[in-house]
């Protein structure tokens, strides 16, 4: 028996937004889902902006999204630190600091007064990735700290082209310290499962729409979600060869939602 889509998860960059500009059809796509009474969430690996700043950018772009509909890995990591009573050592972009307000943390390289367990939190630190900061993170890991990744994405698209994301730096630290990171962002299963639980439907009845074949499509497919890859954002021509059987392929978010509504 063929399943139908009862809820949707969107990636943001390259699907709904191009920088801070709405992708063609993005505003209408969300409105049409709302009219069809199909709930949706936004799931992003963006780790240069706080939850509040990203939500404001979405609103500025005309995308009608509530705070509860936006899930970010930084908030998940902050909750993990609190629940595990662990001190966070942050190797992140300064724009992400508000999401760790009120949580026991220290910036990488600073003197740490706290005792007890530690975790190195790695996001897209941008220019903050230097030999000094990476070596400080390495030393923390060698001393027993847990490694937490906010994004395992390999790259993202900026106005002037593709840029390295946090994933390659996480792999570097894993290799150097001989550890395995806990993934708070895509393609980590826990991030998708958080979205599935929030939507309240079975994974097979939820469709993820994304532009990254690795972080979005393969990650979502691994936890049983239906998937659609759009040919926008960071999509590369060879990506179409990598998608799992049953994955939809759409020119953009408008076409993806057209296909979804036609099958529902």
């Amino acid at each position: 028996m063929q399943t139908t889509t009862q809820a949707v998860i969107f990636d943001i960059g390259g699907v709904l937004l191009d920088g801070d500009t709405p992708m063609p059809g993005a505003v209408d796509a969300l409105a049409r889902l709302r009219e069809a009474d199909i709930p949706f969430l936004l799931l992003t690996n963006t780790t240069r902006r706080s939850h509040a700043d990203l939500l404001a950018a979405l609103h500025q772009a005309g995308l009608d999204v509530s705070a509860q509909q936006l899930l970010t890995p930084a908030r998940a990591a902050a909750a993990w630190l609190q629940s595990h009573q662990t001190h966070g050592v942050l190797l992140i972009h300064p724009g992400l600091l508000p999401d760790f307000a009120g949580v026991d943390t220290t910036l990488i390289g600073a003197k740490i007064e706290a005792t007890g367990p530690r975790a190195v939190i790695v996001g897209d630190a941008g220019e903050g990735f230097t030999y000094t900061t990476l070596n400080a993170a390495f030393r923390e890991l060698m001393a027993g700290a847990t490694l937490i990744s906010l994004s395992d994405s390999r790259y993202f698209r900026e106005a002037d082209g593709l840029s390295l994301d946090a994933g390659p730096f996480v792999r570097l630290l894993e290799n150097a310290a001989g550890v395995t990171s806990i993934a708070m962002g895509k393609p980590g299963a826990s991030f998708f499962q958080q979205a599935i639980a929030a939507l309240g439907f079975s994974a097979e009845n939820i469709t993820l729409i994304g532009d990254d074949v690795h972080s979005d499509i393969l990650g979502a497919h691994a936890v049983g979600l239906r998937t659609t890859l759009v040919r926008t954002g960071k999509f590369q021509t060879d990506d179409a060869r990598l998608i799992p059987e049953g994955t939809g392929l759409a020119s953009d978010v408008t076409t993806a939602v057209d296909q979804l509504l036609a099958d529902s």
Side-chain angles (χ1 to χ4, degrees):
M1 181 177 177
Q2 184 177 4
T3 58
T4 59
T5 295
Q6 296 176 298
V8 181
I9 299 171
F10 288 98
D11 177 41
I12 298 178
V15 178
L16 297 176
L17 288 181
D18 179 8
D20 284 342
T21 303
M23 297 290 286
V27 174
D28 183 59
L30 298 190
R32 291 170 64 205
L33 289 179
R34 194 170 281 107
E35 290 172 3
D37 200 28
I38 295 178
F40 60 85
L41 293 176
L42 276 58
L43 204 64
T44 180
N45 268 8
T46 299
T47 57
R48 286 192 180 183
R49 310 173 77 164
S50 69
H51 186 278
D53 284 349
L54 185 53
L55 187 63
L58 290 165
H59 290 168
Q60 185 66 31
L63 296 168
D64 185 9
V65 178
S66 70
Q68 293 70 34
Q69 288 175 301
L70 174 62
L71 303 184
T72 64
R75 282 198 162 188
W80 187 96
L81 290 174
Q82 290 182 313
S83 66
H84 288 77
Q85 298 183 329
T86 297
H87 182 85
V89 183
L90 304 179
L91 178 49
I92 61 174
H93 192 277
L96 207 59
L97 288 174
D99 285 338
F100 291 92
V103 182
D104 185 18
T105 60
T106 304
L107 290 176
I108 193 72
K111 184 178 180 180
I112 301 175
E113 303 292 347
T115 59
R118 299 181 187 177
V120 175
I121 313 295
V122 181
D124 175 19
E127 298 298 324
F129 283 127
T130 66
Y131 177 83
T132 300
T133 58
L134 288 166
N135 198 50
F138 164 72
R139 289 179 175 180
E140 287 287 341
L141 297 173
M142 292 300 288
T146 300
L147 177 59
I148 293 181
S149 168
L150 300 185
S151 172
D152 277 358
S153 295
R154 298 182 302 163
Y155 53 83
F156 60 96
R157 182 173 293 280
E158 295 188 282
D160 60 348
L162 298 178
S163 296
L164 284 171
D165 207 331
F169 297 98
V170 173
R171 300 289 86 77
L172 179 155
L173 290 170
E174 286 182 326
N175 181 268
V179 299
T180 301
S181 64
I182 298 174
M184 293 291 169
K186 298 176 290 184
S190 64
F191 203 30
F192 290 112
Q193 288 165 349
Q194 180 185 352
I196 293 168
L199 287 167
F201 294 98
S202 298
E204 64 182 6
N205 294 116
I206 302 172
T207 295
L208 176 132
I209 300 175
D211 68 325
D212 186 322
V213 69
H214 298 282
S215 292
D216 294 334
I217 304 306
L218 295 178
H221 181 78
V223 298
L225 291 165
R226 303 176 74 183
T227 52
T228 296
L229 178 66
V230 292
R231 298 177 181 269
T232 54
K234 66 174 69 171
F235 174 83
Q236 303 288 298
T237 303
D238 287 345
D239 290 349
R241 299 186 298 103
L242 304 176
I243 60 177
E245 183 178 355
T247 294
L249 195 60
S251 58
D252 52 31
V253 68
T254 297
T255 306
V257 171
D258 283 344
Q259 294 173 352
L260 185 151
L261 291 175
D263 293 339
S264 296

